[in-house]
Amino acid sequence: MAGLELILSTVCNATFCGTIDDNPLHDVKPERHQLENFVNGSHLRIGTINYYPDSWVERAENGSYIGRGAAFDLVHILQKKFNFTYEVVVPEENFLYSDGRAMESLIGLLRSKRIDLAAAFIPIMKNSDQFVTFSTVIDESNWMMMLRRPKESAAGSGLLAPFDENVWILTLAAVIIYGPCLTMLTKLRSKLMPEEEDYIRLPHSFLFVYGAFIKQGTSLSPSANTTRVLFATWWLFIILLSAFYTANLTAFLTLSKFTLDIETVQDLYKKNYRWIATEAGPVEYAVKNPDEEIHYLLKTVATGRGSFVSDRDSSSLLTYVSEGAVLVHPSVSLQYLMYNDYLQKTRLGVPEAEKCTYVVAPGVFMTKRRAFAYQHKSKLKSLFNPVIKRVIHSGILSHLSLRNLPDTKICPLDLQSKDRQLRNTDLLMTYYIMLTGLAAAVAVFIAEISLKRYIHPKSDVIHPRFRQKRPRTIEPAIFDDTRPPPYQTLFGKTKGQTKKKFINGREYWVIKKENGETRLIPMRTPSALLYQ
């Protein structure tokens, strides 16, 4: 505190606290001097609310209230400048706005003239100037959304994470459609040119498409250029798709950015999330005011998804967040809540990976300018506003609001964890595929048993012992010049008897060809199988 008083006194002496002859604010104005004389030595009643860290109160030994926070740091500067005394008044409820009794809210105390000044950073809402007069704008604050940190990113996890939902839908459509297209195009070609290659049947087309999709070969060997181009097109599609999928899967498991399911106020409205805000505070006023942009959230309040709770103890708000609710609060207040929770878990010895339980969504809920408030037609406005303006321009208040926070960001969205280990959730899709395959195999097995036992009974089946042997018809071999010749024909025709011979301790077949050439074929080695 001594260092802070030294800073304030230094700035005060250098800027506005002393009388400066060439300062236009101190030019001869009888009205101003009268106001200064009116405030000098007077006793003011200053109201405030508990809105940590901007303003809060503590009880003195005599039962009176002592104001704390950046708001009362500014009050101390005004007190030193204009030489007045004050007492702190707090409303019966920690409300900023209230439609009930005047003693319940800070604005009610000001409207009923029970206080002279509201020393709190009060948001300047639409139509709120009809109740009070605001001072020079002190700052512009963002209301953010804090929620419990999810275990997984909203982008998903496992095998489906690398691609968007639309990509998977289109990929599935391509797998389903390309088989019939292949059959249709080859059938059209066979009708136009019946003397050449026949068309590919639909089951074979589906097998080719599915086999290529999982990078398996095919027994089809088309000779028509049209069919070959169709095959090459599908193979090229699968190669590129698998390359993108492999790269994205690697990046997702190692370098993916953590995202939340709730990032903007529109997400809060569209998705089934419960949210809370302080009772009779600026968020409630903005939601219930038809002139505000977020008035459409009133529907969520009517359905019970949105609610307004008391915040006499700010740390109690974390209980709601732990239960799954989204807390809407000023940005600086959320930073203090997260920082104090982090310190408490550090003292309790909680592991580092479990200290950042909460996270703040990147989207802004609403943005409002904030200021002190006076009574309507108050004489204090013309005195205090020039001093407040100079303090703001000096940057003191922004420093005081963040003085107890570390320089680093507290529990950021992306924790930059480098020890990324695969969890069961990452491999969950592989388990599903295995179970689906087993279920399909069981279903096919049951269908086969049912087909043989009930559709084709045993009486209709000829026992193998009494089955007549059918004469084998040897079909003439069809020579296909598009395929490679058999391996044994590469050595030409052999004549005579082959014989075995040991050469250097190994057994060989000695084969003489028609041209008199002798070939040695090794036996009992894997290479001998190539010649059998």
Side-chain angles (χ1 to χ4, degrees):
M1 291 298 296
L4 177 61
E5 292 177 358
L6 179 61
I7 294 175
L8 296 178
S9 61
T10 304
V11 176
C12 186
N13 293 332
T15 56
F16 48 80
C17 293
T19 302
I20 303 176
D21 295 335
D22 59 350
N23 193 335
L25 295 176
H26 296 281
D27 289 344
V28 180
K29 290 186 178 180
E31 298 84 359
R32 181 175 181 81
H33 286 297
Q34 290 178 4
L35 291 175
E36 289 182 354
N37 293 332
F38 168 76
V39 176
N40 186 18
S42 63
H43 184 77
L44 301 180
R45 293 172 58 86
I46 298 179
T48 189
I49 56 175
N50 288 311
Y51 223 61
Y52 187 86
D54 300 323
S55 60
W56 73 94
V57 293
E58 296 176 355
R59 280 278 192 177
E61 294 180 357
N62 58 2
S64 61
Y65 290 104
I66 300 175
R68 300 296 187 191
F72 280 90
D73 291 332
L74 181 56
V75 169
H76 294 158
I77 295 176
L78 296 174
Q79 182 185 25
K80 187 173 183 179
K81 167 64 180 175
F82 297 106
N83 190 28
F84 61 84
T85 59
Y86 69 91
E87 63 175 306
V88 179
V89 180
V90 296
E92 293 179 355
E93 303 290 340
N94 196 40
F95 293 165
L96 184 58
Y97 305 94
S98 176
D99 297 331
R101 296 185 304 110
M103 296 295 294
E104 291 182 348
S105 64
L106 184 61
I107 298 298
L109 291 175
L110 201 58
R111 291 180 63 185
S112 60
K113 298 184 179 180
R114 288 182 169 83
I115 57 175
D116 302 302
L117 171 68
F121 292 176
I122 303 174
I124 303 176
M125 315 296 291
K126 292 184 178 179
N127 303 327
S128 61
D129 54 355
Q130 60 182 338
F131 308 124
V132 295
T133 299
F134 289 100
S135 69
T136 301
V137 175
I138 295 177
D139 67 357
E140 188 175 74
S141 179
N142 293 327
W143 271 253
M144 309 295 288
M145 297 173 290
M146 184 175 75
L147 59 156
R148 184 177 57 192
R149 181 180 293 274
K151 294 181 180 179
E152 299 176 3
S153 175
S157 63
L159 300 181
L160 297 180
F163 286 164
D164 184 73
E165 182 180 355
N166 295 330
V167 177
W168 284 117
I169 293 174
L170 293 176
T171 303
L172 180 62
V175 173
I176 296 174
I177 294 173
Y178 200 82
C181 290
L182 183 63
T183 299
M184 182 182 65
L185 292 175
T186 55
K187 191 171 185 178
L188 178 62
R189 183 187 181 282
S190 66
K191 285 186 177 181
L192 296 177
M193 292 177 285
E195 69 280 358
E196 296 191 11
E197 184 181 60
D198 195 9
Y199 74 97
I200 301 176
R201 304 299 192 273
L202 187 60
H204 298 121
S205 297
F206 275 121
L207 286 176
F208 163 73
V209 171
Y210 175 74
F213 186 74
I214 59 176
K215 292 188 175 182
Q216 297 298 317
T218 177
S219 61
L220 300 176
S221 56
S223 58
N225 293 330
T226 304
T227 312
R228 290 177 175 178
V229 170
L230 291 174
F231 277 37
T233 301
W234 182 250
W235 282 330
L236 182 61
F237 170 76
I238 295 302
I239 290 173
L240 295 177
L241 184 71
S242 60
F244 287 132
Y245 177 81
T246 304
N248 280 8
L249 182 62
T250 304
F252 177 82
L253 294 176
T254 54
L255 304 174
S256 61
K257 182 181 178 182
F258 195 88
T259 57
L260 299 173
D261 200 23
I262 297 292
E263 293 191 344
T264 62
V265 64
Q266 288 78 15
D267 295 335
L268 193 63
Y269 176 73
K270 296 176 182 178
K271 299 179 180 179
N272 191 24
Y273 274 80
R274 185 168 63 94
W275 63 273
I276 61 170
T278 54
E279 185 181 5
V283 176
E284 182 177 0
Y285 182 91
V287 170
K288 294 182 178 180
N289 189 350
D291 296 328
E292 293 285 348
E293 296 179 357
I294 60 174
H295 178 64
Y296 59 87
L297 288 176
L298 188 61
K299 295 181 180 179
T300 63
V301 178
T303 58
R305 283 176 46 207
S307 58
F308 306 102
V309 298
S310 175
D311 67 333
R312 288 190 176 275
D313 183 10
S314 297
S315 59
S316 63
L317 296 174
L318 295 179
T319 305
Y320 295 96
V321 182
S322 300
E323 295 173 354
V326 179
L327 173 62
V328 181
H329 219 50
S331 175
V332 178
S333 299
L334 291 180
Q335 292 182 51
Y336 274 97
L337 282 176
M338 296 173 64
Y339 181 57
N340 293 334
D341 179 74
Y342 184 89
L343 291 180
Q344 182 180 2
K345 291 177 179 177
T346 302
R347 298 186 189 101
L348 295 175
V350 177
E352 186 68 27
E354 301 176 5
K355 290 180 181 178
C356 288
T357 312
Y358 310 102
V359 64
V360 177
V364 177
F365 185 87
M366 71 175 184
T367 302
K368 294 295 178 183
R369 297 178 299 167
R370 302 190 299 178
F372 280 3
Y374 314 102
Q375 300 175 8
H376 270 310
K377 299 180 181 179
S378 173
K379 298 178 182 180
L380 299 177
K381 178 180 179 181
S382 58
L383 280 178
F384 289 175
N385 275 6
V387 178
I388 294 175
K389 187 175 182 180
R390 293 193 178 190
V391 174
I392 295 167
H393 289 172
S394 68
I396 295 177
L397 287 183
S398 60
H399 166 74
L400 294 177
S401 298
L402 304 174
R403 57 187 163 184
N404 294 325
L405 289 176
D407 295 333
T408 58
K409 193 171 182 180
I410 306 158
C411 293
L413 180 61
D414 190 359
L415 295 177
Q416 302 293 334
S417 179
K418 295 182 180 180
D419 52 346
R420 176 69 164 90
Q421 294 180 336
L422 292 180
R423 301 183 297 268
N424 269 331
T425 53
D426 297 323
L427 303 175
L428 196 60
M429 186 53 61
T430 59
Y431 304 148
Y432 289 155
I433 293 174
M434 183 179 63
L435 293 177
T436 303
L438 291 175
V442 171
V444 171
F445 174 73
I446 294 174
E448 288 180 347
I449 295 298
S450 302
L451 185 66
K452 291 182 179 181
R453 289 191 177 183
Y454 300 105
I455 299 180
H456 299 289
K458 291 183 178 180
S459 58
D460 297 339
V461 180
I462 302 175
H463 198 274
R465 289 186 298 176
F466 303 101
R467 186 178 298 166
Q468 297 181 355
K469 294 185 178 180
R470 297 179 181 178
R472 290 186 178 182
T473 57
I474 301 176
E475 297 181 358
I478 301 175
F479 178 71
D480 188 0
D481 58 354
T482 62
R483 298 182 180 181
Y487 191 85
Q488 60 268 21
T489 60
L490 298 177
F491 300 100
K493 296 182 179 180
T494 60
K495 66 176 181 178
Q497 296 292 330
T498 59
K499 62 178 180 179
K500 297 179 182 179
K501 188 176 182 180
F502 282 91
I503 302 176
N504 293 332
R506 288 190 178 183
E507 191 175 11
Y508 291 88
W509 282 104
V510 180
I511 300 175
K512 289 187 178 181
K513 299 176 64 176
E514 291 183 346
N515 56 4
E517 184 181 356
T518 302
R519 290 278 182 173
L520 298 178
I521 300 177
M523 298 180 61
R524 298 179 182 175
T525 59
S527 59
L529 298 176
L530 299 175
Y531 296 89
Q532 301 302 320

